[in-house]
Amino acid sequence: MHLLIEIFGGVALMLWGIRMVRTGVMRSFGAELRRILSMSAGKPIKGFGVGFLVTTVLQSSTATTLILSSFAGRGLITGSAALAIILGADVGTTVVVQVLSFDLTWLSPLLIGCGVILFLSTEVSKRKNLARTAIGLGLILLALQLIGQASVPLRTNETLALILRPLTDEILLAVLLTAILTWLAHSSVAVILFVMSLASLQVLNMHLALAMVLGANLGGAVIPIVATVAEQPAGRRVAIGNFLMRATGV
């Protein structure tokens, strides 16, 4: 029970860190990011690059998709142009995970410390939001350490082995369960990082871990569909198009 509480706390901290990064970036550069996204409409290659860069900064392809769905719903961008940008956004998400997969344990206290100092020493809104972003990144790295340390005993846990064995044999079930988990967590990045931590400790075998990554990608595409239910049809089509692209890949 104690082990599960520690892992739960680590995952919750990671989700909070991702939220802080997203909030800090949007409050600092939200208007600029929206303008850059709208300017890339009608230029597929440029749109792909812009989607990639914006999502790398935001650490969330879901946020990018929701912005584009809003644009499409108001007639500011066509559906095909939005999907070209979303393709870049999906690639940008993978780069975020790649960067966070390196051993950056030394960076966590530095980011948190510098972020707190900057946040407390200024009243300028933009600097405070940049400090919030730095703290968020530090919390993500700290959460990965906590999850890794808490997961070590799971290597030899017989109960977990019994639970995971059916998932290893039933890949489709593993994909669907991870998709549901991603939808509940509202972050494919967080779920993939969690799977990565367990795989690095050999708690999950590579076969199952890759299936769960596919599920996280699928679940990440469901979030915008649910969030755009009240949007105009053009906006909903963007979210559905994103889901179809990801589902085809999966």
Side-chain angles (χ1 to χ4, degrees), residues 61-95:
S61 60
T62 300
T64 306
T65 302
L66 290 175
I67 292 171
L68 292 169
S69 295
S70 173
F71 285 174
R74 288 182 286 167
L76 300 176
I77 189 172
T78 65
S80 57
L83 290 177
I85 299 172
I86 288 172
L87 276 174
D90 290 342
V91 177
T93 302
T94 68
V95 171

Side-chain angles (χ1 to χ4, degrees), residues 163-180:
I163 294 172
L164 294 178
R165 191 171 296 126
L167 293 180
T168 305
D169 298 332
E170 298 290 341
I171 293 302
L172 182 59
L173 178 61
V175 170
L176 292 176
L177 287 177
T178 314
I180 293 170

Side-chain angles (χ1 to χ4, degrees), residues 148 151-152 154-157 160-161 164 195-206 209:
S151 302
V152 170
L154 293 178
R155 284 185 186 177
T156 56
N157 190 290
L160 182 66
L164 294 178
V195 171
M196 179 196 73
S197 298
L198 297 181
S200 67
L201 293 169
Q202 299 179 340
V203 175
L204 300 176
N205 63 51
M206 190 56 63

Side-chain angles (χ1 to χ4, degrees), residues 202-224:
Q202 299 179 340
V203 175
L204 300 176
N205 63 51
M206 190 56 63
H207 191 57
L208 178 57
L210 291 175
M212 294 178 76
V213 168
L214 291 177
N217 277 279
L218 191 63
V222 174
I223 301 167

Side-chain angles (χ1 to χ4, degrees), residues 4-234:
L4 293 176
I5 291 173
E6 287 186 351
I7 293 175
F8 174 77
V11 173
L13 183 63
M14 181 165 57
L15 286 169
W16 185 251
I18 291 172
R19 181 180 175 84
M20 285 187 70
V21 171
R22 193 180 308 154
T23 303
V25 170
M26 286 300 294
R27 288 179 180 176
S28 297
F29 307 108
E32 290 88 343
L33 291 176
R34 290 187 178 91
R35 186 169 63 250
I36 291 170
L37 286 171
S38 62
M39 287 172 59
S40 64
K43 303 171 184 176
I45 296 176
K46 182 180 179 181
F48 180 92
V50 168
F52 173 85
L53 291 174
V54 169
T55 304
T56 302
V57 173
L58 280 179
Q59 296 193 8
S60 173
S61 60
T62 300
T64 306
T65 302
L66 290 175
I67 292 171
L68 292 169
S69 295
S70 173
F71 285 174
R74 288 182 286 167
L76 300 176
I77 189 172
T78 65
S80 57
L83 290 177
I85 299 172
I86 288 172
L87 276 174
D90 290 342
V91 177
T93 302
T94 68
V95 171
V96 171
V97 176
Q98 289 291 332
V99 172
L100 293 174
S101 68
F102 292 113
D103 184 10
L104 300 173
T105 52
W106 59 272
L107 192 56
S108 174
L110 183 64
L111 284 170
I112 295 173
C114 291
V116 169
I117 291 172
L118 179 60
F119 188 88
L120 295 176
S121 62
T122 183
E123 294 300 323
V124 180
S125 177
K126 194 164 189 175
R127 290 181 183 174
K128 278 186 173 292
N129 288 320
L130 289 174
R132 183 179 281 107
T133 302
I135 295 170
L137 284 170
L139 291 179
I140 293 170
L141 296 173
L142 176 60
L144 288 172
Q145 295 175 48
L146 294 176
I147 293 169
Q149 292 168 6
S151 302
V152 170
L154 293 178
R155 284 185 186 177
T156 56
N157 190 290
E158 294 180 2
T159 304
L160 182 66
L162 289 172
I163 294 172
L164 294 178
R165 191 171 296 126
L167 293 180
T168 305
D169 298 332
E170 298 290 341
I171 293 302
L172 182 59
L173 178 61
V175 170
L176 292 176
L177 287 177
T178 314
I180 293 170
L181 177 63
T182 304
W183 175 67
L184 291 172
H186 269 56
S187 175
S188 59
V189 171
V191 173
I192 292 172
L193 288 173
F194 178 60
V195 171
M196 179 196 73
S197 298
L198 297 181
S200 67
L201 293 169
Q202 299 179 340
V203 175
L204 300 176
N205 63 51
M206 190 56 63
H207 191 57
L208 178 57
L210 291 175
M212 294 178 76
V213 168
L214 291 177
N217 277 279
L218 191 63
V222 174
I223 301 167
I225 292 178
V226 177
T228 57
V229 168
E231 275 283 356
Q232 295 296 320

